[in-house]
Amino acid sequence: FQKYIDMVSRENQLIIFDWSGTLSDDRRPVHQACVGMGLHYNVEPHHKFEDWVANTSASPQSYLKSIGGEADDAEVYEVYEKYFKDATARGMVPVMYPDVPMVLETLK
């Protein structure tokens, strides 16, 4: 983060961050959502987190295709979102990266 902080000039009035994957690690609930989504579409997902990380794609739709599933993109996202909400409801929530408070305080 220090490299990024050094790049930001004091003249900036506003800095916008994407939360997911930038300020928080949401890979665990995303993995669970992808497992649920794969099973929903009757294709074999990567059950082990490490295997999923090594093989995951940029979107739920492309991940489903990569494991042999087919469905309408909008439908896939709805199914993925359902399983993501289920995972977070079970306590598997995104976790803020440890350096985030320091970065935000420094930028402030």
Side-chain angles (χ1 to χ4, degrees), residues 20 26 29-37 40-41 52 59-61 63 74-86:
S20 177
D26 61 351
V30 169
H31 168 245
Q32 288 301 300
C34 286
V35 169
M37 183 180 67
H40 176 89
Y41 287 107
W52 172 80
S59 70
Q61 295 87 348
Y63 177 72
E75 176 190 322
V76 171
Y77 191 76
E78 286 180 21
V79 170
Y80 164 83
E81 193 172 53
K82 173 202 176 302
Y83 284 103
F84 185 86
K85 287 179 181 178
D86 289 349

Side-chain angles (χ1 to χ4, degrees), residues 8-15:
V8 176
S9 78
R10 296 198 178 273
E11 297 174 15
N12 287 320
Q13 298 291 316
L14 175 68
I15 299 172

